């Protein structure tokens, strides 16, 4: 592993890593936007989700315990999908799939892609 003096280790990142980084970044951006739009306690939870995605990207780019980040990232991201569905469609007033919306669609596509990338990266570590 080659790290720069800033702690960045991009030389060891594969195209698959970059797809995962992009997917996590997209999800983080959607969550920060929703945090501002929704506000209140739910908005704060969106900001915490953004921090989770950002921490994962930071750990991967810095080369910090990548295998652990892959393993933790899968349930973290899957939990986001489950919570979104339960809050909006089970206990909420929305109808699935008619009321998914642009933010929901973009975020869930990014999250499903992220889970797939993390699963492949984790399987390569064994």
């Amino acid at each position: 592993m080659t790290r720069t003096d800033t702690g960045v280790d991009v030389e060891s990142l594969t195209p698959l890593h970059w797809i995962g980084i992009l997917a996590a970044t997209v999800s983080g951006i959607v969550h920060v936007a929703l945090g501002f739009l929704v506000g209140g306690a739910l908005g704060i939870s969106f900001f915490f989700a953004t921090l989770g995605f950002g921490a994962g990207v930071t750990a991967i780019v810095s080369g910090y315990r990548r295998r652990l980040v892959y393993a933790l990232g899968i349930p973290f991201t899957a939990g986001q999908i489950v919570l979104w569905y339960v809050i909006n469609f089970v206990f909420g007033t929305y109808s699935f799939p008619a009321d998914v919306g642009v933010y929901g669609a973009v975020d869930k596509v990014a999250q499903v892609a992220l889970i797939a990338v993390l699963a492949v990266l984790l399987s390569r570590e064994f």
Side-chain angles (χ1 to χ4, degrees), residues 1 3 7 9 55-56 58-69:
M1 171 171 40
R3 271 193 209 173
D9 177 26
T58 301
I60 295 301
V61 170
S62 68
Y64 179 76
R65 301 186 73 176
R66 287 184 179 158
R67 183 170 170 252
L68 178 62
V69 175

Side-chain angles (χ1 to χ4, degrees), residues 10-50:
V10 295
E11 289 181 11
S12 67
L13 297 175
T14 67
L16 193 58
H17 285 100
W18 288 110
I19 292 168
I21 289 167
L22 176 63
T25 301
V26 166
S27 191
I29 290 169
V30 168
H31 278 83
V32 82
L34 288 171
F36 283 115
L37 288 171
V38 172
L42 187 57
I44 291 170
S45 72
F46 285 120
F47 293 127
F48 279 114
T50 298

Side-chain angles (χ1 to χ4, degrees), residues 70-112:
Y70 307 151
L72 293 176
I74 293 168
F76 174 79
T77 307
Q80 298 286 319
I81 295 169
V82 171
L83 283 172
W84 166 79
Y85 184 81
V86 169
I87 289 169
N88 289 294
F89 303 107
V90 174
F91 295 117
T93 59
Y94 297 108
S95 174
F96 185 84
D99 296 326
V100 168
V102 173
Y103 285 115
V106 168
D107 188 40
K108 297 314 145 202
V109 167
Q111 289 177 344
V112 168

